Amino acid sequence: MNSTVTEPLQIAVVVGSTRPGRLGPAVAEWFLDRVRARPELTPAVVDVGDTELPHSFGAPAPGLAPAAAALAAADAFVVVTPEYNHSYPGSLKNLIDLHSAEWRAKPVAFVSYGGVSGGLRAVEHLRGVFAELHAVTVRDTVSFHNPWDRAEGGRLRADPESDAAATTLLNQLVWWGEALRTARADRPYGS
């Protein structure tokens, strides 16, 4: 059976930082501008900073319902993450761990930011986490090295290199997103 799905891909952009004064929303908005320019994509935002995460597993988490719904509806994900202490934020890990089926057999791409490494160490740690959840990570990333001087009024200034990286990332995400959406429709994952 060969399914052809023509609806736009639902992309959940996950903003992974919760620190006061965080740059995550500006980086996410920069990326969302590129997503919105592509008619084959429909974005939704899941901001960990706006999500009520429980402090322990199994605890009631009514504030998590909107994030869970957005993650479940997504065909693909883009995780916007800073690098904290050579890895990703604990709040992002909490959000990831509180969901399982939502990530399964879907592609995950990364937009990272940080100091000299541009958040790439956080991305490499996240790849293993998402592999364990049966997600497919997209090879190419967008990374911003020392981006703080590029933010003005809650917006990140564009540059040709970052724009080209975002195009490559989105092209790969669309390919994986369409392929895996068709595969999930034809045969449930794990069957």
Side-chain angles (χ1 to χ4, degrees):
M1 176 187 229
N2 185 6
S3 297
T4 304
V5 181
T6 58
E7 296 90 31
L9 283 172
Q10 303 297 313
I11 306 296
V13 176
V14 179
V15 183
S17 173
T18 60
R19 286 186 176 175
R22 63 195 174 128
L23 190 59
V27 175
E29 196 56 43
W30 173 90
F31 186 73
L32 283 162
D33 287 345
R34 278 114 194 107
V35 172
R36 291 180 189 118
R38 298 190 58 152
E40 75 270 33
L41 303 175
T42 300
V45 176
V46 176
D47 189 338
V48 176
D50 294 337
T51 303
E52 290 182 40
L53 297 171
H55 295 292
S56 62
F57 289 98
L64 195 56
L71 295 174
D75 296 307
F77 307 96
V78 176
V79 176
V80 177
T81 185
E83 182 177 311
Y84 296 163
N85 302 320
H86 286 228
S87 197
Y88 51 88
S91 54
L92 176 57
K93 181 70 160 82
N94 199 6
L95 177 79
I96 294 167
D97 288 347
L98 288 166
H99 301 88
S100 181
E102 292 85 350
W103 311 109
R104 188 173 298 267
K106 296 178 183 178
V108 180
F110 304 99
V111 176
S112 64
Y113 60 97
V116 68
S117 77
L120 292 173
R121 293 178 287 219
V123 169
E124 290 311 308
H125 289 182
L126 283 165
R127 288 187 191 282
V129 172
F130 281 109
E132 186 64 22
L133 294 168
H134 298 261
V136 175
T137 59
V138 171
R139 161 62 178 84
D140 286 275
T141 65
V142 177
S143 63
F144 293 99
H145 305 265
N146 298 310
W148 299 275
D149 61 345
R150 294 181 55 185
E152 295 174 353
R155 306 282 300 178
L156 201 65
R157 283 192 314 275
D159 66 80
E161 293 83 16
S162 299
D163 287 336
T167 298
T168 299
L169 179 150
L170 285 169
N171 289 344
Q172 292 175 6
L173 190 66
V174 167
W175 190 93
W176 278 107
E178 290 176 350
L180 291 173
R181 179 170 67 181
T182 298
R184 288 190 315 275
D186 287 348
R187 180 174 162 205
Y189 180 76
S191 64

